């Protein structure tokens, strides 16, 4: 049903995205507040 190699590739690309895109963005801008006052 699932291609193990394809799932491994997706996991690897997600880890790269997290390290290269998500973490630097969160460091620079922080997370969105749940509530705005």
């Amino acid at each position: 049903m699932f291609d193990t190699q394809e799932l491994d590739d997706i996991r690897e690309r997600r880890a790269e995205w997290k390290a290269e895109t998500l973490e630097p963005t969160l460091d620079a801008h922080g997370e969105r507040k749940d509530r705005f006052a």
Side-chain angles (χ1 to χ4, degrees):
M1 181 173 212
F2 295 107
D3 181 6
T4 307
Q5 181 61 41
E6 187 175 356
L7 290 174
D8 289 341
D9 290 342
I10 292 169
R11 286 184 187 106
E12 183 178 321
R13 283 182 277 160
R14 182 180 185 274
E16 289 173 4
W17 167 80
K18 186 176 178 182
E20 295 173 5
T21 304
L22 179 63
E23 290 175 357
T25 301
L26 290 177
D27 288 344
H29 303 287
E31 294 218 26
R32 181 177 72 89
K33 295 180 181 180
D34 289 333
R35 212 173 160 170
F36 296 96

